[in-house]
Amino acid sequence: MKKWLVEELICPQCLDSENVLKLDIRTETEDDIIEGHLVCPQCKQVYEIHEGIAVVVPEQTLPIIQDATGYNSFSMLSSYLWSHYSEFFNGPDATDAYQKWARALDSKRSGWALDIGCSVGRLTFEMTKTHDRAVGLDTSISFVRAARELGAAKRLAFDLIMEGRITEKRTCDLDPAFGFDQAEFIVADAMALPFRSRRFSTVSSVNILEKVPDPLLHLAEANRVMVEKDARFLFSDPFSWDESVNSPELWLGGTNDGDFKGFGMDNICRLLQDPESVFSPGFAIRDMGQVLWKIRKTRNLWEHITSQFVVAHRAAMG
Ligand SMILES: C[S@@+](CC[C@H](N)C(=O)[O-])C[C@H]1O[C@@H](n2cnc3c(N)ncnc32)[C@H](O)[C@@H]1O
């Protein structure tokens, strides 16, 4: 983990008291901590840094990050590396979805950006073009490892699944305009962000809302870490609610009754503009639309997804 991130990290188990974690280094380079741990001075929870990857999640999140299936699987890595970077190796039918999300944030601004559920890091790297620093976080160690390796090598080399266990190598340089040294990736939970309140001037939540057990808590956490004045929020989601991921009582759309009946995007826009909601002190909507996004599973299997996005801005304090 890059040393510049250390003093920003707080204990995700003691969010109310915002305890800055104490660092103990075992192995380091000039800019990076390779092996070591972070400790909460209050609850004494220990967070490991191993092979450069910091895992800063509450205890109850550990089973998710230790699961070798799902987003930690080899097939997911192939799918997401294709999805994020196929433009750079001229993959046939490459998706330009990430360019479109990045363009929604294309004005230069000072401050730090946070990409929640960053996967293999494309949007985080894009955010380094417009921000002083960008941090990506995800519960998948495999994705975070891949994103860190991309940042270190400044190029991509991976095994793309053709069919079953048959793979082909894909290699390419990445955009030289990415600020590789300005980006860092950690393993963290979208529902317990290990950052001080009001730290980031821009936050993105792209295609993650429906994947977390408590979507409203994720939004509340995103709001907590955004600055009060001049904050920008990029939100995008396909709203494909799934009962095996989260309970319908916690969905923010896709139901016929309850506080969040109706369509998810309508409810997100309502929350964003309501100064009494989890987005207190309230945002104004700047842009809305759809991004056609693709995930490639094998050479014959693609998922075509419409992700609805909104860019919101909070100009002033409440
Ligand atoms: C559908 S993918 C989208 C990834 C990326 N934002 C994109 O659009 O390509 C959802 C991502 O959220 C991550 N994720 C799921 N639950 C999470 C949580 N509680 N905290 C942080 N990341 C999570 C997954 O590991 C995965 O990378």
Side-chain angles (χ1 to χ4, degrees), residues 1-2 4-12 18-23 33 38-39 41 47 49 54-56 112 135 186-188 193-196 199-200:
M1 182 181 68
K2 294 199 173 83
W4 53 253
L5 189 55
V6 174
E7 61 194 36
E8 308 301 331
L9 295 175
I10 64 164
C11 178
E18 303 215 347
N19 295 312
V20 176
L21 297 174
K22 301 282 171 247
L23 173 66
I33 300 139
L38 298 149
V39 185
Y47 302 98
I49 303 171
V55 177
V56 196
W112 286 28
V135 180
I186 62 168
V187 176
L193 300 174
F195 299 105
R196 279 189 245 255
R199 182 65 190 86
F200 295 91

PDB file of all heavy atoms in Angstrom, residues 1-2 4-12 18-23 33 38-39 41 47 49 54-56 112 135 186-188 193-196 199-200:
ATOM      1  N   MET A   1       0.836  -1.195   0.000  1.00  0.00           N
ATOM      2  CA  MET A   1       0.000   0.000   0.000  1.00  0.00           C
ATOM      3  C   MET A   1       0.877   1.254   0.000  1.00  0.00           C
ATOM      4  O   MET A   1       1.860   1.318   0.751  1.00  0.00           O
ATOM      5  CB  MET A   1      -0.881   0.014   1.250  1.00  0.00           C
ATOM      6  CG  MET A   1      -1.808   1.195   1.300  1.00  0.00           C
ATOM      7  SD  MET A   1      -2.817   1.229   2.783  1.00  0.00           S
ATOM      8  CE  MET A   1      -1.590   1.537   4.028  1.00  0.00           C
ATOM      9  N   LYS A   2       0.505   2.186  -0.842  1.00  0.00           N
ATOM     10  CA  LYS A   2       1.323   3.402  -0.940  1.00  0.00           C
ATOM     11  C   LYS A   2       1.281   4.170   0.386  1.00  0.00           C
ATOM     12  O   LYS A   2       0.234   4.289   1.035  1.00  0.00           O
ATOM     13  CB  LYS A   2       0.812   4.266  -2.082  1.00  0.00           C
ATOM     14  CG  LYS A   2       1.013   3.594  -3.447  1.00  0.00           C
ATOM     15  CD  LYS A   2       0.950   4.586  -4.586  1.00  0.00           C
ATOM     16  CE  LYS A   2       1.324   3.939  -5.902  1.00  0.00           C
ATOM     17  NZ  LYS A   2       0.214   3.236  -6.539  1.00  0.00           N
ATOM     18  N   TRP A   4       1.367   7.253   1.081  1.00  0.00           N
ATOM     19  CA  TRP A   4       0.547   8.461   1.196  1.00  0.00           C
ATOM     20  C   TRP A   4      -0.880   8.178   1.676  1.00  0.00           C
ATOM     21  O   TRP A   4      -1.585   9.086   2.088  1.00  0.00           O
ATOM     22  CB  TRP A   4       0.554   9.285  -0.093  1.00  0.00           C
ATOM     23  CG  TRP A   4       0.196   8.618  -1.399  1.00  0.00           C
ATOM     24  CD1 TRP A   4       1.063   8.288  -2.399  1.00  0.00           C
ATOM     25  CD2 TRP A   4      -1.120   8.264  -1.886  1.00  0.00           C
ATOM     26  NE1 TRP A   4       0.384   7.740  -3.474  1.00  0.00           N
ATOM     27  CE2 TRP A   4      -0.957   7.712  -3.184  1.00  0.00           C
ATOM     28  CE3 TRP A   4      -2.401   8.340  -1.369  1.00  0.00           C
ATOM     29  CZ2 TRP A   4      -2.022   7.247  -3.957  1.00  0.00           C
ATOM     30  CZ3 TRP A   4      -3.470   7.880  -2.134  1.00  0.00           C
ATOM     31  CH2 TRP A   4      -3.275   7.340  -3.412  1.00  0.00           C
ATOM     32  N   LEU A   5      -1.284   6.893   1.618  1.00  0.00           N
ATOM     33  CA  LEU A   5      -2.662   6.597   2.028  1.00  0.00           C
ATOM     34  C   LEU A   5      -2.797   6.335   3.540  1.00  0.00           C
ATOM     35  O   LEU A   5      -3.882   6.445   4.102  1.00  0.00           O
ATOM     36  CB  LEU A   5      -3.176   5.392   1.234  1.00  0.00           C
ATOM     37  CG  LEU A   5      -4.656   5.060   1.359  1.00  0.00           C
ATOM     38  CD1 LEU A   5      -5.532   6.258   1.005  1.00  0.00           C
ATOM     39  CD2 LEU A   5      -5.030   3.883   0.457  1.00  0.00           C
ATOM     40  N   VAL A   6      -1.656   6.007   4.180  1.00  0.00           N
ATOM     41  CA  VAL A   6      -1.722   5.525   5.569  1.00  0.00           C
ATOM     42  C   VAL A   6      -2.487   6.460   6.498  1.00  0.00           C
ATOM     43  O   VAL A   6      -3.397   6.041   7.220  1.00  0.00           O
ATOM     44  CB  VAL A   6      -0.301   5.310   6.136  1.00  0.00           C
ATOM     45  CG1 VAL A   6      -0.368   4.955   7.613  1.00  0.00           C
ATOM     46  CG2 VAL A   6       0.413   4.230   5.367  1.00  0.00           C
ATOM     47  N   GLU A   7      -2.159   7.741   6.450  1.00  0.00           N
ATOM     48  CA  GLU A   7      -2.753   8.625   7.475  1.00  0.00           C
ATOM     49  C   GLU A   7      -4.226   8.921   7.228  1.00  0.00           C
ATOM     50  O   GLU A   7      -4.879   9.570   8.056  1.00  0.00           O
ATOM     51  CB  GLU A   7      -1.950   9.911   7.624  1.00  0.00           C
ATOM     52  CG  GLU A   7      -1.888  10.746   6.384  1.00  0.00           C
ATOM     53  CD  GLU A   7      -0.802  11.823   6.507  1.00  0.00           C
ATOM     54  OE1 GLU A   7       0.243  11.530   7.126  1.00  0.00           O
ATOM     55  OE2 GLU A   7      -1.011  12.919   6.009  1.00  0.00           O
ATOM     56  N   GLU A   8      -4.767   8.424   6.126  1.00  0.00           N
ATOM     57  CA  GLU A   8      -6.194   8.639   5.846  1.00  0.00           C
ATOM     58  C   GLU A   8      -7.071   7.530   6.414  1.00  0.00           C
ATOM     59  O   GLU A   8      -8.292   7.657   6.452  1.00  0.00           O
ATOM     60  CB  GLU A   8      -6.423   8.700   4.329  1.00  0.00           C
ATOM     61  CG  GLU A   8      -5.536   9.672   3.597  1.00  0.00           C
ATOM     62  CD  GLU A   8      -5.707  11.092   4.103  1.00  0.00           C
ATOM     63  OE1 GLU A   8      -6.801  11.428   4.584  1.00  0.00           O
ATOM     64  OE2 GLU A   8      -4.727  11.866   4.016  1.00  0.00           O
ATOM     65  N   LEU A   9      -6.440   6.410   6.816  1.00  0.00           N
ATOM     66  CA  LEU A   9      -7.247   5.234   7.142  1.00  0.00           C
ATOM     67  C   LEU A   9      -7.716   5.219   8.593  1.00  0.00           C
ATOM     68  O   LEU A   9      -6.919   5.394   9.521  1.00  0.00           O
ATOM     69  CB  LEU A   9      -6.440   3.964   6.855  1.00  0.00           C
ATOM     70  CG  LEU A   9      -6.104   3.741   5.380  1.00  0.00           C
ATOM     71  CD1 LEU A   9      -5.196   2.532   5.208  1.00  0.00           C
ATOM     72  CD2 LEU A   9      -7.372   3.581   4.548  1.00  0.00           C
ATOM     73  N   ILE A  10      -9.008   4.987   8.763  1.00  0.00           N
ATOM     74  CA  ILE A  10      -9.570   4.865  10.119  1.00  0.00           C
ATOM     75  C   ILE A  10     -10.131   3.447  10.285  1.00  0.00           C
ATOM     76  O   ILE A  10     -10.301   2.707   9.306  1.00  0.00           O
ATOM     77  CB  ILE A  10     -10.682   5.908  10.382  1.00  0.00           C
ATOM     78  CG1 ILE A  10     -11.891   5.688   9.454  1.00  0.00           C
ATOM     79  CG2 ILE A  10     -10.147   7.324  10.246  1.00  0.00           C
ATOM     80  CD1 ILE A  10     -13.139   6.419   9.904  1.00  0.00           C
ATOM     81  N   CYS A  11     -10.442   3.114  11.529  1.00  0.00           N
ATOM     82  CA  CYS A  11     -10.940   1.773  11.818  1.00  0.00           C
ATOM     83  C   CYS A  11     -12.383   1.630  11.303  1.00  0.00           C
ATOM     84  O   CYS A  11     -13.266   2.384  11.727  1.00  0.00           O
ATOM     85  CB  CYS A  11     -10.904   1.513  13.319  1.00  0.00           C
ATOM     86  SG  CYS A  11     -11.560  -0.115  13.734  1.00  0.00           S
ATOM     87  N   PRO A  12     -12.636   0.636  10.430  1.00  0.00           N
ATOM     88  CA  PRO A  12     -13.998   0.470   9.909  1.00  0.00           C
ATOM     89  C   PRO A  12     -14.964  -0.119  10.937  1.00  0.00           C
ATOM     90  O   PRO A  12     -16.166  -0.203  10.676  1.00  0.00           O
ATOM     91  CB  PRO A  12     -13.793  -0.480   8.723  1.00  0.00           C
ATOM     92  CG  PRO A  12     -12.550  -1.245   9.042  1.00  0.00           C
ATOM     93  CD  PRO A  12     -11.682  -0.327   9.844  1.00  0.00           C
ATOM     94  N   GLU A  18     -13.882   7.563  14.561  1.00  0.00           N
ATOM     95  CA  GLU A  18     -12.887   7.893  13.535  1.00  0.00           C
ATOM     96  C   GLU A  18     -11.453   7.734  14.057  1.00  0.00           C
ATOM     97  O   GLU A  18     -10.649   8.670  14.029  1.00  0.00           O
ATOM     98  CB  GLU A  18     -13.104   9.300  12.975  1.00  0.00           C
ATOM     99  CG  GLU A  18     -14.502   9.484  12.400  1.00  0.00           C
ATOM    100  CD  GLU A  18     -14.574  10.396  11.174  1.00  0.00           C
ATOM    101  OE1 GLU A  18     -13.596  11.097  10.888  1.00  0.00           O
ATOM    102  OE2 GLU A  18     -15.627  10.367  10.504  1.00  0.00           O
ATOM    103  N   ASN A  19     -11.146   6.537  14.524  1.00  0.00           N
ATOM    104  CA  ASN A  19      -9.795   6.281  15.036  1.00  0.00           C
ATOM    105  C   ASN A  19      -8.823   6.037  13.884  1.00  0.00           C
ATOM    106  O   ASN A  19      -8.989   5.080  13.122  1.00  0.00           O
ATOM    107  CB  ASN A  19      -9.796   5.030  15.921  1.00  0.00           C
ATOM    108  CG  ASN A  19     -10.633   5.232  17.154  1.00  0.00           C
ATOM    109  OD1 ASN A  19     -10.502   6.240  17.841  1.00  0.00           O
ATOM    110  ND2 ASN A  19     -11.525   4.284  17.424  1.00  0.00           N
ATOM    111  N   VAL A  20      -7.798   6.877  13.803  1.00  0.00           N
ATOM    112  CA  VAL A  20      -6.776   6.697  12.765  1.00  0.00           C
ATOM    113  C   VAL A  20      -5.960   5.451  13.131  1.00  0.00           C
ATOM    114  O   VAL A  20      -5.568   5.266  14.287  1.00  0.00           O
ATOM    115  CB  VAL A  20      -5.870   7.947  12.674  1.00  0.00           C
ATOM    116  CG1 VAL A  20      -4.748   7.722  11.662  1.00  0.00           C
ATOM    117  CG2 VAL A  20      -6.704   9.164  12.288  1.00  0.00           C
ATOM    118  N   LEU A  21      -5.721   4.588  12.130  1.00  0.00           N
ATOM    119  CA  LEU A  21      -5.036   3.325  12.397  1.00  0.00           C
ATOM    120  C   LEU A  21      -3.534   3.550  12.570  1.00  0.00           C
ATOM    121  O   LEU A  21      -2.940   4.399  11.899  1.00  0.00           O
ATOM    122  CB  LEU A  21      -5.303   2.350  11.243  1.00  0.00           C
ATOM    123  CG  LEU A  21      -6.775   1.968  11.063  1.00  0.00           C
ATOM    124  CD1 LEU A  21      -6.967   1.127   9.804  1.00  0.00           C
ATOM    125  CD2 LEU A  21      -7.306   1.227  12.287  1.00  0.00           C
ATOM    126  N   LYS A  22      -2.954   2.763  13.477  1.00  0.00           N
ATOM    127  CA  LYS A  22      -1.501   2.862  13.731  1.00  0.00           C
ATOM    128  C   LYS A  22      -0.800   1.809  12.880  1.00  0.00           C
ATOM    129  O   LYS A  22      -1.217   0.641  12.842  1.00  0.00           O
ATOM    130  CB  LYS A  22      -1.188   2.574  15.203  1.00  0.00           C
ATOM    131  CG  LYS A  22      -1.884   3.530  16.164  1.00  0.00           C
ATOM    132  CD  LYS A  22      -1.185   4.885  16.239  1.00  0.00           C
ATOM    133  CE  LYS A  22      -1.978   5.915  17.014  1.00  0.00           C
ATOM    134  NZ  LYS A  22      -2.499   7.035  16.244  1.00  0.00           N
ATOM    135  N   LEU A  23       0.276   2.245  12.237  1.00  0.00           N
ATOM    136  CA  LEU A  23       0.969   1.381  11.270  1.00  0.00           C
ATOM    137  C   LEU A  23       2.188   0.707  11.898  1.00  0.00           C
ATOM    138  O   LEU A  23       2.960   1.346  12.606  1.00  0.00           O
ATOM    139  CB  LEU A  23       1.412   2.241  10.078  1.00  0.00           C
ATOM    140  CG  LEU A  23       2.283   1.567   9.037  1.00  0.00           C
ATOM    141  CD1 LEU A  23       1.521   0.468   8.303  1.00  0.00           C
ATOM    142  CD2 LEU A  23       2.789   2.602   8.032  1.00  0.00           C
ATOM    143  N   ILE A  33       4.292   0.108   1.382  1.00  0.00           N
ATOM    144  CA  ILE A  33       4.417  -0.847   2.492  1.00  0.00           C
ATOM    145  C   ILE A  33       4.060  -2.209   1.901  1.00  0.00           C
ATOM    146  O   ILE A  33       2.964  -2.393   1.351  1.00  0.00           O
ATOM    147  CB  ILE A  33       3.460  -0.499   3.637  1.00  0.00           C
ATOM    148  CG1 ILE A  33       3.785   0.909   4.158  1.00  0.00           C
ATOM    149  CG2 ILE A  33       3.566  -1.519   4.774  1.00  0.00           C
ATOM    150  CD1 ILE A  33       2.578   1.701   4.462  1.00  0.00           C
ATOM    151  N   LEU A  38      -1.985  -2.706  10.350  1.00  0.00           N
ATOM    152  CA  LEU A  38      -2.570  -1.485  10.892  1.00  0.00           C
ATOM    153  C   LEU A  38      -3.401  -1.909  12.094  1.00  0.00           C
ATOM    154  O   LEU A  38      -4.079  -2.940  12.048  1.00  0.00           O
ATOM    155  CB  LEU A  38      -3.473  -0.832   9.848  1.00  0.00           C
ATOM    156  CG  LEU A  38      -2.777  -0.383   8.554  1.00  0.00           C
ATOM    157  CD1 LEU A  38      -3.720  -0.467   7.372  1.00  0.00           C
ATOM    158  CD2 LEU A  38      -2.256   1.041   8.718  1.00  0.00           C
ATOM    159  N   VAL A  39      -3.347  -1.119  13.167  1.00  0.00           N
ATOM    160  CA  VAL A  39      -4.076  -1.503  14.380  1.00  0.00           C
ATOM    161  C   VAL A  39      -4.951  -0.335  14.839  1.00  0.00           C
ATOM    162  O   VAL A  39      -4.517   0.817  14.828  1.00  0.00           O
ATOM    163  CB  VAL A  39      -3.109  -1.854  15.539  1.00  0.00           C
ATOM    164  CG1 VAL A  39      -3.886  -2.372  16.748  1.00  0.00           C
ATOM    165  CG2 VAL A  39      -2.092  -2.878  15.101  1.00  0.00           C
ATOM    166  N   PRO A  41      -6.385   1.871  17.642  1.00  0.00           N
ATOM    167  CA  PRO A  41      -5.993   2.145  19.028  1.00  0.00           C
ATOM    168  C   PRO A  41      -7.133   1.910  20.013  1.00  0.00           C
ATOM    169  O   PRO A  41      -6.896   1.716  21.195  1.00  0.00           O
ATOM    170  CB  PRO A  41      -5.596   3.633  19.006  1.00  0.00           C
ATOM    171  CG  PRO A  41      -6.190   4.196  17.756  1.00  0.00           C
ATOM    172  CD  PRO A  41      -6.376   3.069  16.794  1.00  0.00           C
ATOM    173  N   TYR A  47      -5.424  -5.058  11.092  1.00  0.00           N
ATOM    174  CA  TYR A  47      -5.694  -5.140   9.649  1.00  0.00           C
ATOM    175  C   TYR A  47      -4.379  -5.409   8.930  1.00  0.00           C
ATOM    176  O   TYR A  47      -3.447  -4.609   9.017  1.00  0.00           O
ATOM    177  CB  TYR A  47      -6.332  -3.831   9.159  1.00  0.00           C
ATOM    178  CG  TYR A  47      -7.617  -3.511   9.899  1.00  0.00           C
ATOM    179  CD1 TYR A  47      -7.628  -2.605  10.970  1.00  0.00           C
ATOM    180  CD2 TYR A  47      -8.810  -4.142   9.568  1.00  0.00           C
ATOM    181  CE1 TYR A  47      -8.794  -2.332  11.670  1.00  0.00           C
ATOM    182  CE2 TYR A  47      -9.981  -3.875  10.264  1.00  0.00           C
ATOM    183  CZ  TYR A  47      -9.968  -2.977  11.309  1.00  0.00           C
ATOM    184  OH  TYR A  47     -11.125  -2.713  12.000  1.00  0.00           O
ATOM    185  N   ILE A  49      -1.476  -5.995   6.082  1.00  0.00           N
ATOM    186  CA  ILE A  49      -0.998  -5.576   4.754  1.00  0.00           C
ATOM    187  C   ILE A  49      -0.087  -6.709   4.298  1.00  0.00           C
ATOM    188  O   ILE A  49       0.918  -7.014   4.941  1.00  0.00           O
ATOM    189  CB  ILE A  49      -0.188  -4.264   4.812  1.00  0.00           C
ATOM    190  CG1 ILE A  49      -1.023  -3.146   5.450  1.00  0.00           C
ATOM    191  CG2 ILE A  49       0.275  -3.858   3.409  1.00  0.00           C
ATOM    192  CD1 ILE A  49      -0.236  -1.872   5.748  1.00  0.00           C
ATOM    193  N   ALA A  54      -3.582  -3.911   1.421  1.00  0.00           N
ATOM    194  CA  ALA A  54      -4.160  -3.667   2.749  1.00  0.00           C
ATOM    195  C   ALA A  54      -5.601  -4.157   2.755  1.00  0.00           C
ATOM    196  O   ALA A  54      -6.375  -3.849   1.842  1.00  0.00           O
ATOM    197  CB  ALA A  54      -4.107  -2.185   3.065  1.00  0.00           C
ATOM    198  N   VAL A  55      -5.935  -4.934   3.793  1.00  0.00           N
ATOM    199  CA  VAL A  55      -7.305  -5.436   3.941  1.00  0.00           C
ATOM    200  C   VAL A  55      -7.897  -4.745   5.172  1.00  0.00           C
ATOM    201  O   VAL A  55      -7.554  -5.074   6.308  1.00  0.00           O
ATOM    202  CB  VAL A  55      -7.307  -6.976   4.099  1.00  0.00           C
ATOM    203  CG1 VAL A  55      -8.724  -7.482   4.335  1.00  0.00           C
ATOM    204  CG2 VAL A  55      -6.698  -7.638   2.867  1.00  0.00           C
ATOM    205  N   VAL A  56      -8.763  -3.752   4.910  1.00  0.00           N
ATOM    206  CA  VAL A  56      -9.257  -2.910   6.010  1.00  0.00           C
ATOM    207  C   VAL A  56     -10.775  -3.056   6.099  1.00  0.00           C
ATOM    208  O   VAL A  56     -11.532  -2.117   5.836  1.00  0.00           O
ATOM    209  CB  VAL A  56      -8.826  -1.433   5.793  1.00  0.00           C
ATOM    210  CG1 VAL A  56      -8.976  -0.654   7.099  1.00  0.00           C
ATOM    211  CG2 VAL A  56      -7.402  -1.324   5.292  1.00  0.00           C
ATOM    212  N   TRP A 112      -9.331  14.671  -3.728  1.00  0.00           N
ATOM    213  CA  TRP A 112      -9.180  13.236  -3.943  1.00  0.00           C
ATOM    214  C   TRP A 112     -10.491  12.636  -4.435  1.00  0.00           C
ATOM    215  O   TRP A 112     -11.577  13.138  -4.097  1.00  0.00           O
ATOM    216  CB  TRP A 112      -8.821  12.550  -2.626  1.00  0.00           C
ATOM    217  CG  TRP A 112      -7.418  12.771  -2.162  1.00  0.00           C
ATOM    218  CD1 TRP A 112      -6.611  13.850  -2.408  1.00  0.00           C
ATOM    219  CD2 TRP A 112      -6.665  11.889  -1.333  1.00  0.00           C
ATOM    220  NE1 TRP A 112      -5.406  13.690  -1.788  1.00  0.00           N
ATOM    221  CE2 TRP A 112      -5.407  12.503  -1.123  1.00  0.00           C
ATOM    222  CE3 TRP A 112      -6.915  10.652  -0.745  1.00  0.00           C
ATOM    223  CZ2 TRP A 112      -4.413  11.905  -0.353  1.00  0.00           C
ATOM    224  CZ3 TRP A 112      -5.938  10.052   0.028  1.00  0.00           C
ATOM    225  CH2 TRP A 112      -4.688  10.676   0.214  1.00  0.00           C
ATOM    226  N   VAL A 135      -8.475   6.803  -5.088  1.00  0.00           N
ATOM    227  CA  VAL A 135      -8.406   5.550  -4.332  1.00  0.00           C
ATOM    228  C   VAL A 135      -9.540   4.649  -4.811  1.00  0.00           C
ATOM    229  O   VAL A 135     -10.689   5.087  -4.922  1.00  0.00           O
ATOM    230  CB  VAL A 135      -8.567   5.820  -2.813  1.00  0.00           C
ATOM    231  CG1 VAL A 135      -8.500   4.506  -2.037  1.00  0.00           C
ATOM    232  CG2 VAL A 135      -7.511   6.796  -2.323  1.00  0.00           C
ATOM    233  N   ILE A 186      -7.303  -0.611  -2.259  1.00  0.00           N
ATOM    234  CA  ILE A 186      -7.315  -1.393  -1.016  1.00  0.00           C
ATOM    235  C   ILE A 186      -8.562  -2.291  -0.987  1.00  0.00           C
ATOM    236  O   ILE A 186      -9.534  -2.041  -1.716  1.00  0.00           O
ATOM    237  CB  ILE A 186      -7.294  -0.498   0.254  1.00  0.00           C
ATOM    238  CG1 ILE A 186      -8.538   0.403   0.323  1.00  0.00           C
ATOM    239  CG2 ILE A 186      -6.018   0.293   0.340  1.00  0.00           C
ATOM    240  CD1 ILE A 186      -8.714   1.072   1.683  1.00  0.00           C
ATOM    241  N   VAL A 187      -8.496  -3.296  -0.133  1.00  0.00           N
ATOM    242  CA  VAL A 187      -9.663  -4.135   0.108  1.00  0.00           C
ATOM    243  C   VAL A 187     -10.444  -3.502   1.248  1.00  0.00           C
ATOM    244  O   VAL A 187      -9.924  -3.332   2.359  1.00  0.00           O
ATOM    245  CB  VAL A 187      -9.233  -5.582   0.459  1.00  0.00           C
ATOM    246  CG1 VAL A 187     -10.447  -6.423   0.814  1.00  0.00           C
ATOM    247  CG2 VAL A 187      -8.463  -6.202  -0.695  1.00  0.00           C
ATOM    248  N   ALA A 188     -11.667  -3.091   0.957  1.00  0.00           N
ATOM    249  CA  ALA A 188     -12.504  -2.436   1.969  1.00  0.00           C
ATOM    250  C   ALA A 188     -13.961  -2.678   1.608  1.00  0.00           C
ATOM    251  O   ALA A 188     -14.275  -3.132   0.495  1.00  0.00           O
ATOM    252  CB  ALA A 188     -12.193  -0.942   2.038  1.00  0.00           C
ATOM    253  N   LEU A 193     -16.696   2.295   5.198  1.00  0.00           N
ATOM    254  CA  LEU A 193     -15.527   2.850   4.498  1.00  0.00           C
ATOM    255  C   LEU A 193     -14.470   3.281   5.511  1.00  0.00           C
ATOM    256  O   LEU A 193     -14.771   4.072   6.419  1.00  0.00           O
ATOM    257  CB  LEU A 193     -15.955   4.042   3.634  1.00  0.00           C
ATOM    258  CG  LEU A 193     -16.987   3.722   2.548  1.00  0.00           C
ATOM    259  CD1 LEU A 193     -17.451   5.004   1.848  1.00  0.00           C
ATOM    260  CD2 LEU A 193     -16.422   2.744   1.526  1.00  0.00           C
ATOM    261  N   PRO A 194     -13.230   2.806   5.353  1.00  0.00           N
ATOM    262  CA  PRO A 194     -12.212   3.109   6.372  1.00  0.00           C
ATOM    263  C   PRO A 194     -11.550   4.477   6.166  1.00  0.00           C
ATOM    264  O   PRO A 194     -10.324   4.585   6.166  1.00  0.00           O
ATOM    265  CB  PRO A 194     -11.212   1.959   6.183  1.00  0.00           C
ATOM    266  CG  PRO A 194     -11.290   1.654   4.723  1.00  0.00           C
ATOM    267  CD  PRO A 194     -12.706   1.907   4.298  1.00  0.00           C
ATOM    268  N   PHE A 195     -12.383   5.485   5.959  1.00  0.00           N
ATOM    269  CA  PHE A 195     -11.862   6.830   5.715  1.00  0.00           C
ATOM    270  C   PHE A 195     -12.550   7.834   6.627  1.00  0.00           C
ATOM    271  O   PHE A 195     -13.733   7.689   6.930  1.00  0.00           O
ATOM    272  CB  PHE A 195     -12.093   7.251   4.256  1.00  0.00           C
ATOM    273  CG  PHE A 195     -11.405   6.360   3.277  1.00  0.00           C
ATOM    274  CD1 PHE A 195     -12.122   5.432   2.543  1.00  0.00           C
ATOM    275  CD2 PHE A 195     -10.030   6.421   3.115  1.00  0.00           C
ATOM    276  CE1 PHE A 195     -11.486   4.579   1.664  1.00  0.00           C
ATOM    277  CE2 PHE A 195      -9.385   5.572   2.231  1.00  0.00           C
ATOM    278  CZ  PHE A 195     -10.112   4.647   1.507  1.00  0.00           C
ATOM    279  N   ARG A 196     -11.784   8.880   6.947  1.00  0.00           N
ATOM    280  CA  ARG A 196     -12.350   9.997   7.716  1.00  0.00           C
ATOM    281  C   ARG A 196     -13.529  10.583   6.966  1.00  0.00           C
ATOM    282  O   ARG A 196     -13.556  10.588   5.734  1.00  0.00           O
ATOM    283  CB  ARG A 196     -11.305  11.093   7.816  1.00  0.00           C
ATOM    284  CG  ARG A 196     -10.270  10.896   8.867  1.00  0.00           C
ATOM    285  CD  ARG A 196      -9.525  12.223   8.902  1.00  0.00           C
ATOM    286  NE  ARG A 196      -8.151  12.017   8.460  1.00  0.00           N
ATOM    287  CZ  ARG A 196      -7.133  11.994   9.292  1.00  0.00           C
ATOM    288  NH1 ARG A 196      -7.326  12.144  10.578  1.00  0.00           N
ATOM    289  NH2 ARG A 196      -5.916  11.829   8.857  1.00  0.00           N
ATOM    290  N   ARG A 199     -13.666  13.441   3.338  1.00  0.00           N
ATOM    291  CA  ARG A 199     -12.308  13.386   2.801  1.00  0.00           C
ATOM    292  C   ARG A 199     -12.227  13.570   1.284  1.00  0.00           C
ATOM    293  O   ARG A 199     -11.240  14.077   0.763  1.00  0.00           O
ATOM    294  CB  ARG A 199     -11.657  12.032   3.187  1.00  0.00           C
ATOM    295  CG  ARG A 199     -10.228  11.884   2.715  1.00  0.00           C
ATOM    296  CD  ARG A 199      -9.356  12.913   3.412  1.00  0.00           C
ATOM    297  NE  ARG A 199      -8.016  13.043   2.906  1.00  0.00           N
ATOM    298  CZ  ARG A 199      -7.644  13.817   1.881  1.00  0.00           C
ATOM    299  NH1 ARG A 199      -8.534  14.503   1.172  1.00  0.00           N
ATOM    300  NH2 ARG A 199      -6.375  13.927   1.543  1.00  0.00           N
ATOM    301  N   PHE A 200     -13.277  13.130   0.555  1.00  0.00           N
ATOM    302  CA  PHE A 200     -13.166  13.050  -0.906  1.00  0.00           C
ATOM    303  C   PHE A 200     -14.039  14.107  -1.587  1.00  0.00           C
ATOM    304  O   PHE A 200     -15.192  14.317  -1.204  1.00  0.00           O
ATOM    305  CB  PHE A 200     -13.586  11.654  -1.390  1.00  0.00           C
ATOM    306  CG  PHE A 200     -12.664  10.574  -0.893  1.00  0.00           C
ATOM    307  CD1 PHE A 200     -12.922   9.910   0.298  1.00  0.00           C
ATOM    308  CD2 PHE A 200     -11.510  10.247  -1.603  1.00  0.00           C
ATOM    309  CE1 PHE A 200     -12.062   8.926   0.777  1.00  0.00           C
ATOM    310  CE2 PHE A 200     -10.635   9.265  -1.133  1.00  0.00           C
ATOM    311  CZ  PHE A 200     -10.920   8.601   0.056  1.00  0.00           C
TER     312      PHE A 200
END
